[in-house]
Amino acid sequence: MRSILITGASGLLGSNLALEMSTDWKVTAQYYQHQIASDRFACECVDLSVEGAAEALLQRVRPDVVIHCAALTHVDTCEKQPDLAFRLNAKMPGLVAAAAKKVGAYLVHISTDAVFDGEQGGYRENDPVHPVNIYARSKVEGEEQVLAENANAAVLRVNIFGWNAQDKFSLAEWFLDKLEQKHSCKGFTDVFITPTLVNALVPLLEAMAGTGTSGIVHAAGADCVSKYEFGVRIAQAFALDSSVIEPSTVEEAGLLAVRGRRLCLKSERMESELGIFPLDLESALQKMCSLRENGYKAALQDLTTGGRHERI
């Protein structure tokens, strides 16, 4: 059985990868601030932003593959704390990339559609980046450091949604909570994304590990939608009343950091080189719905609650 180290394993992507991949992989899940525990895989509490910590962990674990999910993703927090943003989103990925190279592990570093300015949309892997806020700038620098330290590594740009192991909401969960409680909420009509269900990334990552794909890869969903439409489509998938979602603009939200508007990605390398095609949003949302019905959401949250989560 091949071994894999997943960093940031208490986060949205990392927790889902750890749970799903533990069936076919020997998984080691790294976390730092938010503890996780499971009898399905090993867990390591390590601050990877400290010099030498990533190398020590990888020398001990000796994984075949590393998926680096750990990051500071809250955009306005990055704007308020730029030093922290660059330490976690730029310096730390470089340290992990160098450590992976030393032990001969294949590395996939998780990045974001926010590296683009959103003026154009439909971004391909070779389009020039143009970050418009601190979060985006730190993620661009992280991409650069990863590829400078480890030329065989891959950088995977995504915009993800799904069930969260932690007691907080992804965008999809936030919309769903408002819809189920029939509380009014706002959806941006002027911000466009290609959202990808986190679970759909598992076969892509396994294919990348199998082929040793390097460089920039986009993993987009099949549909480019506004955040308002995303909320409406969630309502449709879960058979809820979408009228509680009010159309609004990003300016009306009063957010601290500037946001890109048209951030939709094209997944050309994923399709042409790996033969994996984006999941359409309707199918992705139906999958998200069935995951909750089948107990997957509760099992995911058990990772951070030690099995104390009330199953619904």
Side-chain angles (χ1 to χ4, degrees), residues 204-275:
L204 171 61
L205 290 165
E206 291 180 333
M208 291 174 67
T211 59
T213 303
S214 62
I216 305 292
V217 178
H218 288 177
D223 297 292
C224 177
V225 296
S226 70
K227 291 193 173 182
Y228 169 77
E229 184 180 351
F230 184 47
V232 171
R233 299 280 288 274
I234 290 169
Q236 293 170 348
F238 286 80
L240 297 166
D241 180 8
S242 65
S243 66
V244 301
I245 306 174
E246 303 173 15
S248 67
T249 65
V250 71
E251 285 90 354
E252 293 171 353
L255 300 171
L256 178 62
V258 175
R259 262 71 166 181
R261 305 296 182 87
R262 299 175 183 87
L263 295 174
C264 296
L265 304 176
K266 290 186 178 297
S267 307
E268 294 182 341
R269 293 192 67 197
M270 183 178 84
E271 297 180 33
S272 63
E273 298 178 24
L274 297 165

Side-chain angles (χ1 to χ4, degrees), residues 10-17 19-20 158-177 193-201 230 234 238 279 281 283-292 296-298 300-301:
S10 60
L12 173 60
L13 178 57
S15 58
N16 279 273
L17 294 182
L19 185 59
E20 288 226 7
V158 296
N159 187 309
I160 54 175
F161 71 93
W163 297 116
N164 218 318
Q166 293 183 43
D167 187 20
K168 64 179 184 179
F169 291 148
S170 65
L171 178 61
E173 290 171 303
W174 179 81
F175 271 125
L176 186 57
D177 179 67
I193 55 175
T194 38
T196 302
L197 182 67
V198 289
N199 311 82
L201 293 177
F230 184 47
I234 290 169
F238 286 80
L279 190 64
L281 186 53
S283 298
L285 290 171
Q286 288 175 349
K287 173 70 172 177
M288 185 180 177
C289 183
S290 67
L291 286 171
R292 181 169 69 173
Y296 176 87
K297 177 187 175 184
L300 186 69
Q301 292 184 322

Side-chain angles (χ1 to χ4, degrees), residues 68 85-97 107 109-111 115 134-150 153-155 216:
H68 182 56
F86 280 95
R87 179 163 66 88
L88 299 183
N89 295 342
K91 176 187 175 183
M92 183 167 66
L95 295 173
V96 173
L107 170 70
H109 168 64
I110 304 300
S111 191
V115 298
I134 296 296
Y135 168 67
R137 283 172 52 196
S138 67
K139 292 297 287 186
V140 167
E141 188 171 320
E143 292 185 358
E144 293 170 347
Q145 291 206 27
V146 164
L147 296 178
E149 292 286 352
N150 189 339
V155 170
I216 305 292

